[in-house]
Amino acid sequence: MTTAIGIDVGGTGIKGGRVDLATGELVSERIKYPTPEGGHPGDVLDAVEQILGDLDSGPDDHTGVCFPAVVTHGVTRSAANVSADWIDFPATSTFGESLGRDVHFVNDADAAGVAEAQYGAAAGVPGLVIVLTLGTGIGSAFLMNGQLVPNTELGHMELDGVDAEKRASNAAREREGLDFETWGRRVNRFLRHVEKLFSPDLFLIGGGVSKEHEEFFPFFDVSTEVKPAALLNNAGIVGAAYLAGNSLLD
Ligand code: BGC
């Protein structure tokens, strides 16, 4: 069995597991630690080391890390909901040297999108699939005939004078105590705008809240087909492992 390690670094938790690359399934326990206060790179590195130890992972394991920022050539370029220390931080080389193995970084929504294309709801779908993850922020992944176009960052598209994610993320729903109808209509406005600009063939909605899609999908009014993502909480882990295992990063 060919496996790789996937780690998903988020604002509140850092999760990891070993993934069977043939099926996209976790073949280990899913390890989770809270993100250290402040989310600074050195502390995140310690948590990742701990997870690799818990997974009995050795230096030969392909290891992918997904992270909520733009990542180009192994360097994290932005920090919307994380420590500003990550801006222009050489994540791939710093983590690789400290952990004594090849480590590869990728944007979290891009990892989730790749997982959907390989093993989930975007598998075999021709044309343009836009995956949107509704969490602390809004992440986006563009898949053209299954091929990722990275770092699209649609959550920062301006809508009503602010970043779309400030009003339509799941965190905005919780922060403002919105019911699913009010929030669903906000997400719909965002989808309509994205649809107008990119004319996708399919929208996939991910993030933990997609488990409750029946509560808010009825308030969508778009011409594009909309489906929930299939991999839910493990999408980032699985996509990061797939990309690292197939040497598709950097
Ligand atoms: C970040 C993206 C990330 C998304 C979801 C946004 O604020 O800019 O890079 O994919 O949040 O975590």
Side-chain angles (χ1 to χ4, degrees):
M1 186 197 303
T2 309
T3 68
I5 305 291
I7 306 224
D8 183 350
V9 178
T12 54
I14 304 181
K15 307 173 279 196
R18 183 181 291 279
V19 176
D20 175 353
L21 297 180
T23 62
E25 271 161 23
L26 254 63
V27 288
S28 71
E29 206 190 323
R30 179 171 176 272
I31 314 279
K32 182 167 180 184
Y33 288 102
T35 304
E37 188 67 35
H40 300 291
D43 298 329
V44 170
L45 174 59
D46 290 344
V48 169
E49 186 163 25
Q50 177 79 43
I51 291 176
L52 293 175
D54 292 353
L55 291 171
D56 286 327
S57 165
D60 293 337
D61 279 327
H62 293 288
T63 305
V65 179
C66 70
F67 190 77
V70 171
V71 184
T72 56
H73 310 294
V75 178
T76 47
R77 300 284 182 191
S78 63
N81 295 301
V82 290
S83 157
D85 294 356
W86 290 90
I87 297 176
D88 294 335
F89 177 71
T92 284
S93 58
T94 307
F95 274 56
E97 279 158 29
S98 301
L99 298 169
R101 64 172 70 200
D102 285 338
V103 177
H104 300 279
F105 270 68
V106 60
N107 171 265
D108 56 357
D110 284 344
V114 164
E116 293 297 330
Q118 291 304 318
Y119 312 105
V125 179
L128 177 63
V129 179
I130 297 185
V131 182
L132 296 166
T133 62
L134 307 175
T136 309
I138 294 182
S140 57
F142 278 35
L143 299 157
M144 185 61 197
N145 293 330
Q147 193 70 34
L148 176 69
V149 180
N151 294 311
T152 46
E153 294 290 323
L154 294 192
H156 297 289
M157 184 150 78
E158 189 183 310
L159 210 54
D160 300 327
V162 293
D163 272 10
E165 71 175 20
K166 292 276 175 285
R167 288 175 51 77
S169 65
N170 190 45
R173 180 182 69 83
E174 289 173 350
R175 197 170 49 237
E176 298 182 41
L178 302 177
D179 58 34
F180 273 118
E181 175 168 359
T182 309
W183 179 67
R185 293 191 191 283
R186 280 192 191 181
V187 176
N188 180 56
R189 238 178 86 54
F190 174 62
L191 293 180
R192 285 182 72 109
H193 200 57
V194 173
E195 175 177 67
K196 195 162 71 188
L197 295 179
F198 299 105
S199 303
D201 296 289
L202 172 67
F203 280 124
L204 287 184
I205 307 295
V209 72
S210 64
K211 276 200 290 282
E212 294 173 273
H213 63 271
E214 282 165 6
E215 302 284 343
F216 59 96
F217 276 24
F219 305 109
F220 293 169
D221 173 22
V222 288
S223 330
T224 310
E225 187 182 5
V226 186
K227 284 187 183 169
L231 279 96
L232 300 176
N233 282 335
N234 290 335
I237 296 177
V238 172
Y242 173 83
L243 289 165
N246 288 280
S247 305
L248 294 174
L249 292 172
D250 293 332

